[in-house]
Structures are given as structure tokens and as C-alpha cells.
Amino acid sequence: MDRSVVTSTVRTLWDSEIVPSLSRLVAVPAVSPAFDPAWEEHGELAAAIDHVRAWIASRNLPGATLEVVQLAGRTPLLVVDVPASGNSGDDTVLLYGHLDKQPPVGGWGEGLGPWTPVLRDGRLYGRGAADDGYSGYAAVAAIEAVRASGGSHARCVVLLETGEESGSPDLPAYLEHLSDRLGRVSLVVCLDSGGSDYDRMWLTTSLRGLVQVTVTVRVLEGGLHSGMASGIVPSSFRIARTLLDRIENSETGEVLVPEMHVEIPAHRLAEVREAVEAAPGALWDPVPRVGDLRPMSPDEVELALNSGWRPTLSVTGAEGLPLPDDAGNVLRPYTSLVLSFRLPPTASSAAALEAVRTLLTTDVPYNATVELSRVEAADGWNAPELAPWLSAVLDEAGKDVFGAPWRTVSLGGSIPFMGLLHEAYPEAQFVVTGVIGPDSNCHVPDEWLHLAHAARVTEAVALVLDAHAAQES
């Protein structure tokens, strides 16, 4: 494998082929189904798939097949099957990404917009540029670079879904549907993650799980004048606050549900320390804080563990509370709060959910009515140990591509696909990486893609594919 050819191929592809096509993909408002119930009628997810499919079809990938797979009632999936080059064994490399996007939201900067691609200072702005529209382009470019440089790769299947931002509800059905076609998957490359800076390759080694529930406390059939009812009828908000005190220490933020806590593995703790040392300030410096706000801990290692290996609670929504301008002197009939728990990677989401259900509905103050709705639970993921060959090629990529050693990150979010794949292919190696940095603004206004970093990640994936083929042969 000629490393210089890998570099030149990847950079040329990004500059002349990928950026123009990815910019047009940004302009497609392919909002994930959870945020667009009429997604099938609107056709934007299909348009995103058609756009990327056309670009991949134009590439030089001998023998490759492209198919849009869509089961009844489910979001479409693009499957690109690229035969092995050289004597690369019978295994499959699965390269994953997604084409659905978060909602546009308001508040974009001057000259920017969710569906308006803007190139500025080495960045591509627009919704879905970094999360995760670039992934299919990077996967195909990595395969092309291996071939152009005289290297080898095993059979590669690029799988691009359109429901990840909705929790990947259709993926289990697709994995079952495609299981015979996928064969023995020995390497998974996920390009939907990121790290703490743009100076090195970051490998995600764990993902937190999730429990989400909407709790509604009802006390009245309808509102009553607060001057007449307060002191007689208990406040639904106060009862909700009392229930929250059962599950979270309001002074420290510590979650009080034992089922949500795990022992942090020693090697993951060591990785966190290395990551913090490599990118000091990466967790707190990019936060758009107001005034003199302080972090939850002055110790960056503790912050990293909080966001990767400890449970947290965020109240992400509410109902039954009028806007301040509309708030009269009324004792409200109910209060609804959306509770979003992030769980440690190895915690059981089912056990955690059952514990939350018990704490919120047992011995409720004043015998108020408590209802739970929109319940969701998903386990996290803890990566298998790296095989020696994979660790070695990552070391090489760190030295030759990035000029800095690779590091790991315990990601606070979830990628449901990883847990599904780990369960389906327990012997596979995982490279979960990506381009999202601490200030890439995913899910919020001014999302942007670091183009040079994306090219480096693409180059590193090419090296991994070649090393994997050598190992398998």
C-alpha cells in the first residue's frame, strides 16, 4: 500500500468530488421521522438516499451493487456492497452512517441556515454536514483510496440508514432481514461519532444508555382560583418536585437510583485520564455558558466520568405550565415533566426503568394520580478490547496521518446501532469514530463540518481497511 497515494486520493476526492455533493445533500431537509410524522409523503428521506446513491454509483468501484431496501412501514436504507479486492478472506466489513437529520431549529448565525450550505474557513455549515451526511462519502472514499494505492480490503458493505436521529427503531428489523447477506462481520466502522478536538483520531469505546419517561401528576379535573384553592389542594408541581427528590439529589445532581450505577472498569478510567491530558479544557471551554457559571466539578476527569460513565438526569420538557405572559392566578390541574436519564454503558436499561417506575408511582404524596407515558429504554455499549492488529494500525494512523496519538472517548450520547451490532456479531472489532468535535454544534444552530479533519479520518479508515484485509488473509 502506497501511503502517499492514499493521502493524495483522499484529499483530491474531498476537494473536488465530496464537498460539492455533500453541500447539495445539506440542502435536502431530510428531517428524521420522529420530527416529521409525514416523512414518507414529504419524500425528503428518499431524496437524500437518491442523492447519495447517485454519487456512489458514479464512483469507480468494480462489481459494487447499490440497493435501496425498504420494508413495509419502515424508513429506507441504502446498502452498498463492494466486493473484496485481492486475497482478503470471506469476512465482511460493515461501514455505518445515517442520512436523516435533526430538526432545523432557529437561531442560526448571520448568513447561515440549516438547509443553506456555506463554505467558510475550512468548514462546511449546514444541518447534517457533520451528523452524519459525510459518512457515506468518507466510507466510499476510503475504499477508493485503498484500491488506488495498491492495498487490499475485504468485502465492504456500506449501510446508510434514515432513522438514527429517531433512535434507529427500524434497524433491528433490517439487521434480521439482511443477516444472511451480511455474512460474517469481523469489523464494524461507525462514522457517527467524534472526539474532544480536531488534532487526533478519537475512538469511541463506550456509549451511554437511555431511559426516558414523561411523568404527569394530576390533582384536579380543571384549574381553580389559587386564592381559593391553594393551601387546600396540593400543588401538582410540588408533588412532582417531591418525586424528583427520590431520584436525584437536587444539590449535587447525583442520581439516587442504585440500578443506574455501575463500577467503572479500570482500563476505561485510565483511558479517560489520557484523554483529558491530551485535550485539556475540551469538555468545558466550548460550553456557551452565561455569566460566571461553574462546571459541576473543577476536576476534568470527574467531568469526563460524569458524561461517560455515570447516570445523569435532564428535565427536557414540560407541559401544563403556561407561558409567563399567560400565567394567571390559577392552581393548575396537572404538571408533566419529560425525564431523560443517561445511563452508564453497562447498566441495564430495563432494570433502571423499572426502578424509576416504582419510585415515581409508589406512595405518591396526597395520593395524587401519577401517569407515565412516552416510555423509552435503551442499553448502552462498551466496546470489546482492541485486537493487536487494530491497535497497531491506529498507532500508525496517529503518527502518519494526524501527527498525534489516538485517544478514546466515553461518549455521553447513544448510537443504538452499536449495541445491536455487538449483540449480532460478538467477535467483531469496532472502530467507532467520526468528525464531531466539542463545538461542531450538532443538533443545534450553526452545525458545521471540519473538512480537513474529515479527510484525515477518511485516510485513517483506509489504513484500517488495508490492515484488516492483511489480518484476514
Side-chain angles (χ1 to χ4, degrees), residues 75-425:
T75 51
L77 188 77
L78 178 59
V79 180
V80 184
D81 196 332
V82 184
S85 66
N87 182 23
S88 304
D90 298 326
D91 287 0
T92 298
V93 178
L94 191 58
L95 298 106
Y96 166 83
H98 67 88
L99 298 176
D100 59 313
K101 307 177 183 182
Q102 281 282 318
V105 304
W108 287 67
E110 184 177 356
L112 303 176
W115 319 127
T116 304
V118 174
L119 283 171
R120 183 185 297 172
D121 300 326
R123 304 177 175 187
L124 175 60
Y125 286 87
R127 177 65 81 230
D131 184 22
D132 188 36
Y134 89 99
S135 58
Y137 296 96
V140 170
I143 296 170
E144 284 197 49
V146 171
R147 288 176 172 266
S149 66
S152 298
H153 63 78
R155 176 199 180 208
C156 292
V157 175
V158 181
L159 191 154
L160 302 175
E161 69 154 318
T162 55
E164 193 276 341
E165 300 293 3
S166 302
S168 298
D170 298 334
L171 267 180
Y174 279 120
L175 279 180
E176 181 178 355
H177 179 72
L178 297 170
S179 59
D180 290 340
R181 290 172 56 181
L182 292 177
R184 180 179 181 271
V185 175
S186 59
L187 174 64
V188 175
V189 178
C190 172
L191 294 168
D192 187 27
S193 189
S196 298
D197 61 26
Y198 306 101
D199 299 327
R200 70 196 71 243
M201 186 174 186
W202 291 90
L203 204 68
T204 298
T205 53
S206 65
L207 299 161
R208 285 197 291 184
L210 173 74
V211 163
Q212 185 163 294
V213 59
T214 297
V215 55
T216 299
V217 178
R218 296 189 185 276
V219 294
L220 296 169
E221 294 292 336
L224 295 175
H225 192 300
S226 63
M228 300 174 64
S230 61
I232 299 173
V233 178
S235 161
S236 64
F237 187 88
R238 181 166 64 84
I239 295 171
R241 186 173 61 188
T242 300
L243 295 176
L244 289 182
D245 284 340
R246 296 178 178 182
I247 57 180
E248 182 194 43
N249 183 320
S250 61
E251 293 187 4
T252 65
E254 178 189 1
V255 173
L256 304 176
V257 184
E259 290 82 354
M260 292 187 179
H261 290 265
V262 302
E263 183 176 353
I264 302 172
H267 66 292
R268 295 298 186 223
L269 178 58
E271 290 175 352
V272 166
R273 295 185 186 280
E274 290 179 343
V276 168
E277 183 179 355
L283 295 173
W284 181 245
D285 290 350
V287 173
R289 51 194 180 271
V290 175
D292 296 325
L293 182 71
R294 297 190 304 271
M296 288 182 63
S297 171
D299 186 336
E300 287 188 83
V301 170
E302 290 300 306
L303 294 180
L305 293 174
N306 285 347
S307 67
W309 277 93
R310 292 180 181 136
T312 58
L313 169 63
S314 301
V315 179
T316 59
E319 189 179 357
L321 294 149
L323 295 174
D325 288 345
D326 300 326
N329 290 320
V330 174
L331 195 148
R332 297 176 298 101
Y334 74 95
T335 297
S336 291
L337 300 175
V338 181
L339 310 182
S340 177
F341 297 90
R342 293 292 182 174
L343 307 180
T346 56
S348 167
S349 62
L353 174 59
E354 189 57 33
V356 168
R357 189 188 305 275
T358 299
L359 288 168
L360 293 178
T361 60
T362 302
D363 297 327
V364 177
Y366 304 101
N367 204 30
T369 297
V370 173
E371 303 164 356
L372 303 185
S373 60
R374 292 188 290 184
V375 175
E376 180 182 353
D379 288 341
W381 173 74
N382 190 28
E385 291 295 315
L386 291 184
W389 71 265
L390 182 51
S391 181
V393 72
L394 292 175
D395 288 342
E396 293 176 16
K399 177 182 177 182
D400 299 339
V401 178
F402 294 90
W406 62 279
R407 288 291 179 259
T408 67
V409 60
S410 298
L411 200 64
S414 301
I415 307 176
F417 191 51
M418 291 303 98
L420 293 172
L421 279 179
H422 196 175
E423 183 177 348
Y425 307 105

